[in-house]
mmCIF file of all heavy atoms in Angstrom:
data_model
loop_
_atom_site.group_PDB
_atom_site.id
_atom_site.type_symbol
_atom_site.label_atom_id
_atom_site.label_comp_id
_atom_site.label_asym_id
_atom_site.label_seq_id
_atom_site.Cartn_x
_atom_site.Cartn_y
_atom_site.Cartn_z
ATOM 1 N N GLY A 301 33.997 -94.283 77.775
ATOM 2 C CA GLY A 301 33.750 -92.890 78.164
ATOM 3 C C GLY A 301 32.427 -92.656 78.852
ATOM 4 O O GLY A 301 31.952 -91.508 78.927
ATOM 5 N N ILE A 302 31.809 -93.712 79.365
ATOM 6 C CA ILE A 302 30.519 -93.562 80.063
ATOM 7 C C ILE A 302 30.787 -93.140 81.515
ATOM 8 O O ILE A 302 31.563 -93.784 82.213
ATOM 9 C CB ILE A 302 29.737 -94.882 80.023
ATOM 10 C CG1 ILE A 302 29.379 -95.256 78.582
ATOM 11 C CG2 ILE A 302 28.487 -94.802 80.884
ATOM 12 C CD1 ILE A 302 28.795 -96.646 78.430
ATOM 13 N N PRO A 303 30.140 -92.070 81.982
ATOM 14 C CA PRO A 303 30.320 -91.644 83.376
ATOM 15 C C PRO A 303 29.555 -92.563 84.335
ATOM 16 O O PRO A 303 28.400 -92.324 84.657
ATOM 17 C CB PRO A 303 29.755 -90.224 83.393
ATOM 18 C CG PRO A 303 28.770 -90.189 82.254
ATOM 19 C CD PRO A 303 29.240 -91.171 81.238
ATOM 20 N N ILE A 304 30.214 -93.641 84.768
ATOM 21 C CA ILE A 304 29.501 -94.698 85.521
ATOM 22 C C ILE A 304 29.100 -94.289 86.941
ATOM 23 O O ILE A 304 28.262 -94.933 87.558
ATOM 24 C CB ILE A 304 30.340 -95.992 85.578
ATOM 25 C CG1 ILE A 304 31.645 -95.768 86.384
ATOM 26 C CG2 ILE A 304 30.640 -96.527 84.197
ATOM 27 C CD1 ILE A 304 32.332 -97.063 86.770
ATOM 28 N N GLN A 305 29.704 -93.195 87.468
ATOM 29 C CA GLN A 305 29.388 -92.804 88.846
ATOM 30 C C GLN A 305 28.087 -92.002 88.954
ATOM 31 O O GLN A 305 27.590 -91.777 90.059
ATOM 32 C CB GLN A 305 30.544 -91.953 89.428
ATOM 33 C CG GLN A 305 31.906 -92.654 89.419
ATOM 34 C CD GLN A 305 31.987 -93.833 90.382
ATOM 35 O OE1 GLN A 305 31.106 -94.028 91.196
ATOM 36 N NE2 GLN A 305 33.039 -94.609 90.277
ATOM 37 N N GLU A 306 27.518 -91.610 87.817
ATOM 38 C CA GLU A 306 26.272 -90.826 87.841
ATOM 39 C C GLU A 306 25.082 -91.693 88.236
ATOM 40 O O GLU A 306 25.080 -92.904 88.057
ATOM 41 C CB GLU A 306 26.012 -90.196 86.467
ATOM 42 C CG GLU A 306 26.997 -89.107 86.092
ATOM 43 C CD GLU A 306 26.677 -88.481 84.727
ATOM 44 O OE1 GLU A 306 25.695 -88.943 84.092
ATOM 45 O OE2 GLU A 306 27.395 -87.558 84.320
ATOM 46 N N ALA A 307 24.024 -91.022 88.744
ATOM 47 C CA ALA A 307 22.801 -91.725 89.128
ATOM 48 C C ALA A 307 21.883 -91.886 87.919
ATOM 49 O O ALA A 307 20.712 -91.517 87.922
ATOM 50 C CB ALA A 307 22.081 -90.946 90.224
ATOM 51 N N LEU A 308 22.443 -92.456 86.866
ATOM 52 C CA LEU A 308 21.712 -92.715 85.622
ATOM 53 C C LEU A 308 21.955 -94.146 85.202
ATOM 54 O O LEU A 308 23.035 -94.685 85.411
ATOM 55 C CB LEU A 308 22.204 -91.779 84.503
ATOM 56 C CG LEU A 308 21.786 -90.319 84.532
ATOM 57 C CD1 LEU A 308 22.549 -89.537 83.476
ATOM 58 C CD2 LEU A 308 20.283 -90.170 84.305
ATOM 59 N N GLY A 309 20.939 -94.768 84.610
ATOM 60 C CA GLY A 309 21.087 -96.136 84.112
ATOM 61 C C GLY A 309 21.827 -96.153 82.772
ATOM 62 O O GLY A 309 21.413 -95.488 81.833
ATOM 63 N N ARG A 310 22.920 -96.864 82.724
ATOM 64 C CA ARG A 310 23.693 -97.033 81.484
ATOM 65 C C ARG A 310 23.801 -98.515 81.200
ATOM 66 O O ARG A 310 24.141 -99.298 82.094
ATOM 67 C CB ARG A 310 25.093 -96.442 81.633
ATOM 68 C CG ARG A 310 25.121 -94.994 82.066
ATOM 69 C CD ARG A 310 24.837 -94.044 80.921
ATOM 70 N NE ARG A 310 25.034 -92.662 81.323
ATOM 71 C CZ ARG A 310 25.164 -91.655 80.492
ATOM 72 N NH1 ARG A 310 25.117 -91.873 79.182
ATOM 73 N NH2 ARG A 310 25.336 -90.428 80.917
ATOM 74 N N MET A 311 23.570 -98.904 79.953
ATOM 75 C CA MET A 311 23.615 -100.324 79.615
ATOM 76 C C MET A 311 24.758 -100.596 78.643
ATOM 77 O O MET A 311 24.919 -99.906 77.641
ATOM 78 C CB MET A 311 22.294 -100.781 79.002
ATOM 79 C CG MET A 311 22.214 -102.286 78.799
ATOM 80 S SD MET A 311 20.527 -102.797 78.465
ATOM 81 C CE MET A 311 20.729 -104.562 78.338
ATOM 82 N N VAL A 312 25.549 -101.623 78.967
ATOM 83 C CA VAL A 312 26.686 -102.005 78.140
ATOM 84 C C VAL A 312 26.571 -103.492 77.804
ATOM 85 O O VAL A 312 26.244 -104.313 78.660
ATOM 86 C CB VAL A 312 28.018 -101.773 78.894
ATOM 87 C CG1 VAL A 312 29.200 -102.244 78.069
ATOM 88 C CG2 VAL A 312 28.190 -100.306 79.240
#
Side-chain angles (χ1 to χ4, degrees):
I302 296 171
I304 64 166
Q305 302 292 349
E306 291 181 358
L308 285 171
R310 305 281 187 163
M311 187 166 182
V312 177

